[in-house]
Each structure stands twice: as C-alpha cells, then as structure tokens.
Amino acid sequence: MPISENIGSIRQKISAACRRCGRNPEDITLIAATKTIEIERIRQVASLGITDLGENRAQELLQKYDGVEGVRWHFIGHLQKNKVKYVVGRAALIHSVDGFPLALEINRQAERNGMQQDVLIQVNIMDEKSKFGVSQNYVDELVQKCAELSNIKVLGLMSMPPLSNDNTFVTKVFQKSYEIFIDISLKKYHNVSMNILSMGMSGDFEQAIECGATHVRIGSAIFGGRKN
Ligand SMILES: *Cc1c(COP(=O)(O)O)cnc(C)c1O
C-alpha cells in the first residue's frame, strides 16, 4: 500500500482507539520511526503531515537531520554516552534515558550548548535482559536524581513490552507502565512533568492508546517491512 494510505489507516485506528476509551485523538502524537529508511521516503511522510520522526541511531540522526524540514526529531534507540553530543540539541526529545550516567552526560552536553534537553525515562517493565531501560523499582529514584540536573527535564516515560502474540500480556505491561507514570506524576517533583507516555508500535499501538499512551512510535505499518 502507498505510504499515504498507510498513514490514513493508522490515523483512523488511532481515532477509533481514542473513541473506545474516551480520549481525544489530538492528544496522541504519531511518531514515524525512520530507522533504515532513506531520506526521500522520510521527506514523503513529512509532506503527508507527519511532524514527528523517531530515529534509533545517532549516526542516522546526524545524516538525516538536515535533510528534512519542519519536523521534530525524537531519539528512540539505545544511546551510548559517547554519542550523546550528536543527539543533544538535535532531538527534541530523547526517549531512552536508562541510567544516571547517561542522564549526567546528556546534562553536561546540554549545558555546553546552553540549553535544556527534554528526556523520557525508559522503563523495562519485565526486566528483560535483551532490552534497555531501568527496572520499575528504580524509575522513581532515577526521576528524582534527574530532577536535580538543571540542563535536562524529564517529561515522562517510555516503555516497550516484550515481543509477544499474547495481547492480554502486552496490555498488562502497558497498564503497569501507565500505573508507574501516574504514581510519579502524582508526586509532582520539581523540574519534572509527567505529560508524555511513549509506548505502542506497529503491532500494538491501539492497545497502548487504550492504556494511556500519548506518543506512539510506528515504523513498519507506515513504511512497510524493514530488512533488519
Ligand atoms: C523500530 C522501533 C519502533 C517501530 O517499530 P515498528 O514495529 O516497525 O512499528 C518503535 N520504537 C522503537 C524504539 C524502535 O526501535
């Protein structure tokens, strides 16, 4: 299917999911995940009204950043400390803060740039060894430690459930993520705003929205299958 039809169909599904749970589709941000996608097709989605793009690798972000106008970039992949300098200031939002050393480095680079970098804390709900993100027991502490850093601002959480065909299980992971998100937002920490819950990909974004996601990151349902 042409990309325009894919996007149309995703927007309809987002609206339907919102209707089922009494939410406003305008409160959902659709991020097109662009890893391995060439610049022409990224420009095409931007021309079709996609305003938010998500990249996984610092190198790819650098290559693509100047090639698309009028969009916000999100950094959604694992971020190594030595790559932080390429991402800070380019990514409007870094979704993948998974430890205090990384937060410190982001803070340091943001200070050098004279800016405040918006970030999310990535939570690894099931403590999967194969995934990055912090254990749910540590999220609150990490948020509080990040709150002390004046050149980063925590805006919410990112969560990625295990690959699974079991919808009930995936829903449970989303619900748990939402619970943690609400618990922390109720604490009203200084220099923290819990407004963004980034969860849901091509296979599960409708469920994620029904569980409270504000940002969904969608790759293959827009661009078709990837090689990797
Ligand atoms: C690739 C990727 C996505 C999009 O995955 P699809 O299943 O292709 O929609 C979302 N989030 C992250 C972190 C990714 O790496």
Side-chain angles (χ1 to χ4, degrees):
M1 268 212 296
I3 285 180
S4 59
E5 284 180 33
N6 291 344
I7 292 172
S9 151
I10 290 164
R11 293 231 185 262
Q12 277 177 11
K13 287 176 181 166
I14 289 175
S15 293
C18 284
R19 236 176 287 124
R20 289 195 292 275
C21 59
R23 299 183 64 194
N24 184 348
E26 286 175 16
D27 296 337
I28 310 295
T29 301
L30 168 57
I31 300 172
T34 56
K35 58 173 175 269
T36 76
I37 304 296
E38 59 277 24
I39 197 77
E40 289 75 22
R41 291 165 81 212
I42 300 175
R43 286 200 195 107
Q44 191 189 348
V45 298
S47 76
L48 292 166
I50 296 281
T51 52
D52 291 79
L53 304 173
E55 202 35 86
N56 285 67
R57 298 185 191 93
Q59 214 60 39
E60 272 190 74
L61 174 64
L62 265 183
Q63 286 163 5
K64 294 168 178 174
Y65 184 77
D66 290 322
V68 199
E69 275 170 22
V71 291
R72 267 187 304 270
W73 285 96
H74 298 251
F75 195 82
I76 61 178
H78 176 61
L79 182 54
Q80 291 168 304
K81 287 208 290 295
N82 62 350
K83 303 280 172 61
V84 165
K85 56 179 175 289
Y86 304 123
V87 173
V88 164
R90 290 194 172 86
L93 183 63
I94 298 174
H95 292 225
S96 45
V97 171
D98 58 1
F100 194 57
L102 176 60
L104 274 176
E105 178 60 13
I106 294 171
N107 186 66
R108 196 173 75 87
Q109 292 293 344
E111 190 176 2
R112 285 179 62 168
N113 294 3
M115 51 151 323
Q116 194 179 42
Q117 175 70 55
D118 291 336
V119 304
L120 306 178
I121 305 297
Q122 182 175 353
V123 191
N124 186 346
I125 296 287
M126 301 310 293
D127 287 324
E128 287 176 280
K129 294 272 185 298
S130 62
K131 283 225 175 75
F132 296 100
V134 298
S135 154
Q136 49 175 298
N137 305 320
Y138 179 60
V139 183
D140 192 289
E141 184 184 333
L142 181 56
V143 169
Q144 289 188 62
K145 287 170 86 169
C146 289
E148 300 292 321
L149 305 175
S150 49
N151 292 84
I152 67 177
K153 185 168 172 98
V154 177
L155 297 188
L157 304 180
M158 188 262 240
S159 167
M160 235 197 298
L163 268 184
S164 167
N165 294 322
D166 181 353
N167 280 342
T168 318
F169 171 70
V170 170
T171 296
K172 277 196 182 124
V173 174
F174 286 148
Q175 285 170 338
K176 186 70 206 173
S177 308
Y178 182 70
E179 249 174 58
I180 297 169
F181 174 74
I182 293 298
D183 284 349
I184 295 177
S185 73
L186 290 174
K187 293 185 177 163
K188 299 191 187 308
Y189 293 127
H190 172 72
N191 190 33
V192 172
S193 64
M194 281 281 143
N195 295 328
I196 296 181
L197 182 56
S198 167
M199 59 184 192
M201 317 202 314
S202 291
D204 54 21
F205 66 92
E206 292 155 277
Q207 278 165 271
I209 289 168
E210 290 183 65
C211 294
T214 64
H215 288 52
V216 293
R217 311 175 309 268
I218 300 184
S220 51
I222 294 177
F223 296 106
R226 281 182 301 270
K227 279 162 246 123
N228 59 343

